[in-house]
Amino acid sequence: MTTDEITDLLTEAYIDELETVMNYQTNAIVLDGVHAEEVKTSLEEDVQEELEHARMLGERLKQLDESPPGSEAFEATQSSLQPPEDTTDVQSVIEGVLEAEDDAIETYRALHEAASEANDPVTEDVAVTILADEEAHHTEFRGFQKEFPQD
């Protein structure tokens, strides 16, 4: 049977995914410069994937007889992903993405562990599916971090 820990983690992850969508979209819009194009394209693609993650999490909450939270439950926490004052500062966005992906990876590992302990294979599957995507994003942006000029 599912636990409060599982629904709490699903809810936290749902909110985090939607905050990530907002920040990735904003950064994809505001970044400038020749070095920004590849990162902007990646962020735009990731927006759709992060929205899909939120949908999956919301559906799982619904299946567990919980409701995904609305905007009043939202409290912004991704300070490192705020758009940079210098819109050519691609490196700060890359670092913000890496921090957000680290947090997401930690959340999905905790969700997987909680679901495993609760014998909830459906939530385990959701956690593993999303975790694989988040680790792929992290790897891509770690590559950007190595490749892009540092000021």
Side-chain angles (χ1 to χ4, degrees):
M1 207 31 124
T2 48
T3 65
D4 288 342
E5 180 183 11
I6 290 172
T7 56
D8 289 349
L9 285 166
L10 285 165
T11 300
E12 173 190 338
Y14 179 82
I15 290 170
D16 289 349
E17 292 289 355
L18 291 175
E19 182 178 10
T20 298
V21 165
M22 183 185 303
N23 288 321
Y24 282 12
Q25 183 65 62
T26 300
N27 281 302
I29 292 168
V30 303
L31 283 178
D32 289 317
V34 67
H35 297 295
E37 290 308 311
E38 193 173 359
V39 171
K40 289 172 64 162
T41 298
S42 179
L43 290 171
E44 289 169 354
E45 291 169 1
D46 288 350
V47 163
Q48 294 309 311
E49 200 163 273
E50 303 297 343
L51 276 172
E52 177 60 15
H53 294 166
R55 189 200 59 75
M56 291 170 64
L57 295 161
E59 289 291 330
R60 186 64 186 140
L61 281 164
K62 178 70 173 165
Q63 292 164 355
L64 296 172
D65 203 28
E66 297 287 331
S67 179
S71 62
E72 287 183 352
F74 177 76
E75 201 170 307
T77 61
Q78 294 177 343
S79 57
S80 66
L81 255 180
Q82 298 308 298
E85 193 171 305
D86 174 0
T87 60
T88 64
D89 186 2
V90 178
Q91 198 60 240
S92 73
V93 173
I94 292 169
E95 289 167 13
V97 169
L98 287 170
E99 185 176 315
E101 296 297 346
D102 283 339
D103 291 345
I105 288 166
E106 183 179 317
T107 297
Y108 292 116
R109 285 185 177 159
L111 179 60
H112 178 266
E113 184 177 328
S116 178
E117 289 173 8
N119 194 26
D120 179 351
V122 175
T123 301
E124 276 185 83
D125 185 54
V126 168
V128 169
T129 298
I130 298 174
L131 178 60
D133 291 342
E134 301 298 359
E135 287 184 350
H137 294 163
H138 191 274
T139 299
E140 178 183 26
F141 274 83
R142 195 172 56 233
F144 286 152
Q145 186 180 43
K146 292 176 185 176
E147 180 179 303
F148 281 78
Q150 308 247 352
D151 293 333

